[in-house]
């Protein structure tokens, strides 16, 4: 009986399991249905999104023909604009260049006109003087005319016989005109314009020196001290009977790497030292008519030191010529305080050995001489026959145009005040 009671309990548990299994199966069927209903829509959405992304990527990699055409048109337009701007800039540049050439032409025309007016004024002045002289000769007696001729002859003789001076003033019987050579133009001299040629650095050799001693007009030769040929060079200049001798006193330049040579004045020297050095050099080269500086910008810029050199010249009765190797030279102020007349270089002749450059420098000196009455040129003995031949060639032309040739010492007669 006991076993029969336990059997219903087992049957009940089996029923519960079956119900639970059915429920699970039903739940799975419901979920499967939901998935089945929603899957097509999700797949379509994903497919559409992928397709759109792919289209976008392809579109960016391969632009459509319409976009390509627009971009090409834009590029063409930009290139055209750039070309037009470039053409406008080129035209503007050409216009500015043309304007500059016009200004330069106007400047040249103005200068030519000014020079022409100056020459015409000079011609008119000479013609006026000739008229006045002719009128005076018409009213004077033959005796007075003869006396005038004698007096004029005496003046010319005195001019040519004065130390270091030669040449005559231009004749007023004809209007002076510029003389044009193959590569130079020599204007007529105004009021007896005087030219002085100084040749530095003598004493280095005798062959180069001889070219300048052979010149047919008086010159100055400045001889350096304590060189092999210093004494003999000085002797030859003095014995020429026509040329003037200077001591070419070495002085230290601002560029301390430049060696001014033996017998030089250095920045460390006292005025007593300077006095001793200069007097020793004068004793070797002298007697001389004057002294000028070799190099020396560092010394001539010192009023005390260059003033001492000028003072020695004053005591020795010789002149001082400032070679003006520095624009800041203190020599004029030192001379003013000492009450001494000094001379200054106007033009350097041979900074280069090119003929055109030398002729240009000679032309500059002529302009100076016609403006202030005289010009002092400085050249160098080491230029040899090159510079000497140019001066030999120009001498008769310059003389025919009325220029007077002088030494520095010869300037005192007409320009010493």
């Amino acid at each position: 009986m006991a076993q029969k009671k336990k059997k219903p309990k087992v049957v009940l548990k089996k029923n519960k399991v079956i119900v639970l299994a059915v429920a699970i199966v039903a739940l799975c069927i419901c979920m499967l249905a939901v998935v089945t209903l929603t899957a097509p829509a999700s797949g379509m959405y994903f497919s559409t999104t992928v397709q759109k992304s792919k289209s976008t990527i392809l579109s960016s990699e391969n632009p459509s023909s319409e976009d390509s055409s627009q971009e090409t048109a834009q590029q063409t337009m930009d290139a055209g604009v750039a070309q037009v701007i470039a053409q406008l800039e080129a035209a503007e540049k050409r216009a500015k260049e043309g304007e500059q050439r016009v200004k330069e032409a106007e400047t040249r025309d103005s200068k030519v006109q000014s020079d022409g007016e100056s020459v015409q004024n000079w011609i008119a002045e000479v013609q006026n003087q000739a008229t006045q002289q002719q009128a005076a000769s018409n009213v004077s007696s033959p005796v007075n005319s003869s006396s005038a001729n004698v007096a004029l002859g005496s003046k010319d003789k005195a001019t040519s016989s004065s130390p270091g001076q030669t040449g005559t003033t231009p004749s007023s019987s004809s209007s002076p005109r510029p003389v044009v050579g193959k590569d130079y133009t020599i204007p007529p001299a105004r009021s007896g314009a005087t030219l002085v040629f100084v040749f530095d650095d003598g004493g280095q050799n005798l062959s180069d020196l001889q070219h300048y001693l052979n010149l047919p007009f008086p010159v100055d030769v400045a001889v350096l001290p304590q060189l092999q040929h210093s004494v003999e060079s000085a002797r030859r200049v003095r014995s020429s009977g026509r040329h003037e001798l200077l001591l070419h006193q070495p002085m230290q330049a601002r560029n301390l790497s430049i060696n001014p040579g033996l017998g030089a004045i250095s920045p460390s020297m006292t005025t007593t030292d300077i006095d001793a050095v200069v007097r020793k050099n004068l004793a070797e080269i002298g007697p001389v008519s004057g002294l000028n500086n070799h190099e020396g910008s560092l010394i001539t810029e010192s009023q005390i030191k260059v003033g001492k050199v000028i003072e020695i010249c004053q005591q020795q009765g010789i002149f001082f010529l400032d070679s003006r190797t520095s624009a800041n030279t203190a020599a004029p102020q030192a001379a003013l305080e000492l009450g001494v007349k000094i001379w200054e270089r106007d033009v350097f002749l041979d900074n280069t050995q090119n003929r055109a450059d030398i002729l240009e420098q000679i032309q500059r000196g002529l302009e100076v001489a016609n403006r202030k009455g005289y010009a002092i040129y400085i050249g160098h003995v080491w230029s040899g026959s090159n510079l000497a031949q140019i001066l030999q060639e120009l001498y008769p032309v310059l003389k025919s145009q009325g220029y007077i040739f002088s030494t520095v010492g010869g300037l005192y007669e007409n320009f010493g005040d």
Side-chain angles (χ1 to χ4, degrees):
M1 292 294 292
Q3 292 178 350
K4 291 180 179 180
K5 289 181 179 180
K6 291 181 181 179
K7 191 174 180 178
K9 291 182 180 180
V10 174
V11 175
L12 180 61
K13 288 182 179 179
K14 290 181 179 180
N15 291 335
K16 289 182 179 179
V17 171
I18 294 171
V19 171
L20 181 60
V22 171
I24 291 171
V25 171
L27 180 61
C28 290
I29 293 172
C30 290
M31 292 177 64
L32 181 62
V34 171
V35 170
T36 304
L37 292 174
T38 57
S42 300
M44 185 179 299
Y45 174 78
F46 177 77
S47 176
T48 303
T49 303
V50 171
Q51 186 66 28
K52 288 183 178 179
S53 299
K54 184 177 179 181
S55 299
T56 302
I57 293 171
L58 292 174
S59 176
S60 62
E61 291 180 352
N62 301 304
S64 65
S65 60
E66 181 179 356
D67 293 340
S68 177
S69 299
Q70 291 178 353
E71 183 177 355
T72 302
Q74 182 65 34
Q75 292 176 351
T76 303
M77 184 169 61
D78 291 344
V81 170
Q83 184 177 4
V84 171
I85 292 175
Q87 291 175 351
L88 290 174
E89 290 177 348
E92 183 180 2
K93 182 178 179 181
R94 289 194 297 271
K96 289 182 178 179
E97 291 176 351
E99 183 179 355
Q100 181 65 27
R101 286 195 293 269
V102 170
K103 289 182 179 179
E104 291 175 355
E106 291 176 350
T107 301
R108 288 194 299 268
D109 292 343
S110 177
K111 186 177 185 301
V112 170
Q113 183 178 1
S114 176
D115 293 343
E117 291 176 354
S118 298
V119 172
Q120 289 177 356
N121 292 337
W122 167 246
I123 293 173
E125 180 182 350
V126 172
Q127 290 176 340
N128 186 37
Q129 291 177 357
T131 302
Q132 292 177 355
Q133 291 178 359
Q134 182 65 32
S137 63
N138 290 337
V139 298
S140 61
S141 63
V143 175
N144 291 337
S145 177
S146 176
S147 300
N149 290 334
V150 171
L152 180 61
S154 300
K155 182 178 179 181
D156 290 340
K157 182 178 180 180
T159 301
S160 61
S161 62
S162 61
Q165 239 179 2
T166 185
T168 58
T169 56
S171 172
S172 60
S173 59
S174 61
S175 299
R177 296 180 179 179
V179 173
V180 180
K182 58 182 180 181
D183 54 1
Y184 60 81
T185 300
I186 305 300
R190 293 185 183 179
S191 303
T194 302
L195 309 180
V196 177
F197 291 88
V198 181
F199 301 102
D200 285 349
D201 297 347
Q204 295 179 343
N205 67 72
L206 300 175
S207 58
D208 286 339
L209 172 64
Q210 195 60 44
H211 293 297
Y212 299 96
L213 297 182
N214 292 339
L215 288 172
F217 54 89
V219 302
D220 288 81
V221 178
V223 177
L224 290 163
Q226 302 184 36
L227 299 180
Q228 180 180 358
H229 302 289
S230 296
V231 174
E232 177 60 19
S233 295
R235 187 195 67 78
R236 292 191 182 189
V237 175
R238 278 193 300 268
S239 63
S240 68
R242 179 171 64 226
H243 307 304
E244 190 170 64
L245 176 64
L246 278 66
L247 167 63
H248 198 33
Q249 174 60 52
M251 301 180 187
Q252 181 60 56
R254 290 183 62 85
N255 184 353
L256 298 179
S257 65
I258 297 177
N259 182 4
L262 299 173
I265 298 174
S266 65
S268 61
M269 286 184 175
T270 64
T271 54
T272 302
D273 297 332
I274 293 174
D275 186 271
V277 168
V278 174
R279 290 182 187 277
K280 178 182 178 181
N281 294 337
L282 285 172
E284 177 191 8
I285 303 300
V288 299
S289 298
L291 176 155
N292 73 331
N293 56 293
H294 171 68
E295 303 291 351
S297 53
L298 190 60
I299 304 302
T300 58
E301 289 180 359
S302 168
Q303 186 171 334
I304 293 176
K305 288 180 170 57
V306 74
K308 183 60 181 178
V309 177
I310 296 173
E311 182 182 3
I312 297 170
C313 292
Q314 183 183 29
Q315 294 170 353
Q316 294 291 312
I318 61 178
F319 61 79
F320 177 79
L321 169 63
D322 186 0
S323 300
R324 290 194 64 85
T325 55
S326 170
N328 299 321
T329 175
Q333 183 62 32
L336 182 63
E337 294 189 3
L338 290 169
V340 178
K341 170 70 177 180
I342 67 169
W343 304 96
E344 297 179 287
R345 184 268 311 164
D346 293 301
V347 176
F348 276 122
L349 277 172
D350 49 1
N351 288 332
T352 76
Q353 292 296 304
N354 183 274
R355 174 184 171 90
D357 293 337
I358 292 175
L359 289 173
E360 181 180 355
Q361 294 301 95
I362 292 174
Q363 188 68 44
R364 285 185 56 200
L366 298 182
E367 294 172 359
V368 172
N370 283 322
R371 184 175 66 250
K372 74 174 186 178
Y374 70 92
I376 298 178
Y377 298 90
I378 287 185
H380 297 85
V381 170
W382 42 256
S383 286
S385 61
N386 183 42
L387 176 57
Q389 287 177 356
I390 294 175
L391 294 176
Q392 286 271 16
E393 175 188 343
L394 290 181
Y395 169 68
V397 182
L398 291 167
K399 186 177 179 180
S400 69
Q401 287 294 82
Y403 291 95
I404 295 173
F405 293 80
S406 174
T407 60
V408 177
L411 292 177
Y412 280 98
E413 181 176 353
N414 297 318
F415 307 100
D417 295 335

